[in-house]
Amino acid sequence: MFALKARLRDAEKAKSLMVEKGLIDNSFRSKKDSKHIYFPLKEKAFVKGFEIVEIDFEKNNKPVAMDLKSLLKGKLSEEYFERLKSSYDVIGSIAILEIDEELRGKEKVIAEALLESNTTIKTVLRKDAAHRTEFRTQKMKFLAGIDTRETVHKENNVLLKLDVENVYFSPRLSTERKRISEQVKPGEDILVMFSGCSPYPCVLSKITEAKGIVGIEINPAGHKYGLENVKMNKIKNVELINGDVRLEVPKMNKKFDRIIMPLPKEAQDFLDVAFQAAMKGTRIHFYQFLHEDNFGEAEKKAKEEALKYGFKFKYLDLVKCGQHSPRVYRICLDFEVQ
Ligand SMILES: C[S@@+](CC[C@H](N)C(=O)[O-])C[C@H]1O[C@@H](n2cnc3c(N)ncnc32)[C@H](O)[C@@H]1O
């Protein structure tokens, strides 16, 4: 079968080029000799700077992904096992674990088991702190596999390249991005506040007939990847701005058909900015973290702010799109400005 031949020191570069193009056939195991590594390809391909050869590969018999607890049965003591969190995120080829302080002595065992379990996982990292910076990023500790923070993630038919340590991205929001995209009508002008590495703008562009989408992101690293992602997905109707929503929106002096506010902890402080870019008929997607007894808070805040700008509020929907902590959810309130 066809293989890409790379010198061992160029393995990472070759791999990321192939991941970007979706060329690697993960059902076979890559091969190495003393100087080279050979990656199995799905088809004959041209990858600039690398030789394509024909060799035989062995089938990859690693089991497919399972939850951590099933993977670690028998490898940790009963006490450790009970305390282990069983979920983890996979962004592209990077798995990200959360491990409590008292389990950290076993974190390498946990990471190696995860790496072994899934052919698409090449790197295992652990979150080092909660989302603390103004950019919502967090330090990561390298645990196993290839020591990198950059990867290409695929969702809703778009490729998203990012550095998982320096840019916020949650793969758990892909269904939510699809939900919003399904509401978009042809010809809409859309504003995505807090656009990160541009998952909302790219997905909206790919699966809707929106006229134009503007994304605003304050983190220079997020903005840089956003620009790269727009280019990589051959998108033409997205404009990205690196700056503070509070300053950039008034400068545009423009009204939008739809405004998306994916900053659940603070979106309420930007409702005034959203109303400056709204007109009658604008639909707003307002994210919040709320306890299930207080979901009504979101509507209260949006209604109050609408009144200040001389608008009426029309409720459309309220959906749960993630869980933050026990009984506290990430919710999205969809409403129309009237
Ligand atoms: C929760 S993340 C969401 C990112 C992206 N929309 C996504 O879904 O992956 C919020 C983003 O808002 C950005 N941000 C925070 N305050 C901002 C502001 N005042 N203006 C523009 N961006 C801001 C952060 O840097 C971060 O990337």
Side-chain angles (χ1 to χ4, degrees):
M1 84 186 268
F2 292 110
L4 181 142
K5 179 177 173 184
R7 279 175 303 193
L8 289 175
R9 65 169 181 270
D10 295 332
E12 254 325 285
K13 186 177 157 204
K15 204 162 83 208
S16 65
L17 282 171
M18 286 184 295
V19 169
E20 237 173 71
K21 296 183 175 169
L23 288 174
I24 300 186
D25 187 341
N26 283 314
S27 55
F28 292 90
R29 277 163 48 185
S30 52
K31 267 186 177 170
K32 268 186 201 167
D33 58 29
S34 59
K35 289 193 181 132
H36 295 99
I37 181 160
Y38 301 84
F39 293 102
L41 297 179
K42 287 181 189 157
E43 56 190 274
K44 192 171 183 181
F46 173 75
V47 182
K48 205 174 163 203
F50 294 96
E51 193 185 340
I52 303 297
V53 294
E54 269 193 86
I55 57 169
D56 290 324
F57 288 100
E58 279 172 32
K59 263 278 182 212
N60 195 343
N61 294 321
K62 278 185 186 181
V64 288
M66 345 175 188
D67 77 274
L68 264 189
K69 288 211 169 184
S70 331
L71 282 171
L72 289 160
K73 233 178 188 150
K75 293 191 182 171
L76 295 177
S77 72
E78 197 68 13
E79 189 202 341
Y80 270 71
F81 194 75
E82 285 304 310
R83 282 190 265 153
L84 185 69
K85 286 197 180 113
S86 57
S87 67
Y88 54 91
D89 275 338
V90 179
I91 303 182
S93 57
I94 301 180
I96 302 172
L97 290 165
E98 270 184 74
I99 302 177
D100 291 342
E101 293 265 2
E102 61 271 27
L103 289 180
R104 299 230 171 124
K106 295 283 179 195
E107 64 187 13
K108 293 271 177 192
V109 179
I110 299 170
E112 291 293 343
L114 188 53
L115 196 63
E116 271 302 301
S117 74
N118 185 330
T119 51
T120 61
I121 297 175
K122 306 292 179 204
T123 300
V124 184
L125 306 176
R126 163 172 66 73
K127 287 185 186 173
D128 223 7
H131 286 205
R132 278 198 201 117
T133 69
E134 63 166 319
F135 302 148
R136 304 294 180 278
T137 55
Q138 53 195 151
K139 278 257 157 263
M140 302 272 174
K141 183 183 175 206
F142 169 73
L143 294 182
I146 301 162
D147 189 354
T148 182
R149 307 290 182 273
E150 192 175 75
T151 189
V152 179
H153 183 80
K154 193 167 182 190
E155 84 153 57
N156 290 309
N157 254 344
V158 304
L159 293 172
L160 297 163
K161 188 171 176 183
L162 71 142
D163 174 324
V164 298
E165 193 167 46
N166 291 313
V167 178
Y168 174 94
F169 174 77
S170 172
R172 298 181 192 200
L173 290 172
S174 76
T175 319
E176 172 60 11
R177 287 188 265 270
K178 187 150 186 267
R179 182 187 76 86
I180 304 255
S181 301
E182 282 165 354
Q183 299 178 24
V184 173
K185 296 186 197 77
E188 282 192 13
D189 268 319
I190 307 176
L191 170 63
V192 180
M193 295 178 161
F194 326 113
S195 49
C197 64
S198 208
Y200 277 94
C202 289
V203 172
L204 286 163
S205 173
K206 262 273 152 34
I207 60 182
T208 77
E209 291 176 50
K211 182 163 120 218
I213 302 155
V214 177
I216 306 178
E217 170 56 48
I218 203 166
N219 177 1
H223 177 69
K224 178 195 102 138
Y225 281 106
L227 293 175
E228 221 177 304
N229 291 331
V230 164
K231 206 165 154 199
M232 183 160 62
N233 290 288
K234 301 186 173 59
I235 283 168
K236 301 279 181 243
N237 60 345
V238 167
E239 180 198 346
L240 298 178
I241 298 170
N242 182 204
D244 187 333
V245 158
R246 181 158 291 287
L247 303 174
E248 299 302 328
V249 172
K251 268 196 234 164
M252 281 190 290
N253 195 21
K254 185 177 163 146
K255 306 289 181 198
F256 291 87
D257 300 298
R258 189 174 299 273
I259 301 174
I260 303 170
M261 305 181 73
L263 183 67
K265 279 212 172 107
E266 286 158 46
Q268 68 280 2
D269 300 335
F270 292 87
L271 278 168
D272 60 330
V273 186
F275 284 112
Q276 289 170 50
M279 55 191 170
K280 283 192 177 172
T282 297
R283 293 192 162 200
I284 299 187
H285 304 280
F286 174 51
Y287 291 86
Q288 293 276 272
F289 286 128
L290 289 173
H291 188 279
E292 61 189 0
D293 293 341
N294 301 328
F295 283 173
E297 288 285 311
E299 181 172 338
K300 195 166 158 257
K301 288 176 199 164
K303 231 181 211 168
E304 276 172 16
E305 205 60 40
L307 280 176
K308 285 191 203 159
Y309 283 83
F311 290 123
K312 281 194 189 128
F313 165 100
K314 183 181 169 195
Y315 173 94
L316 297 174
D317 204 356
L318 187 144
V319 296
K320 285 185 196 164
C321 43
Q323 189 155 10
H324 181 259
S325 45
R327 302 186 66 206
V328 177
Y329 293 87
R330 179 195 299 262
I331 61 99
C332 183
L333 169 69
D334 299 345
F335 65 95
E336 189 176 302
V337 173
Q338 290 190 327

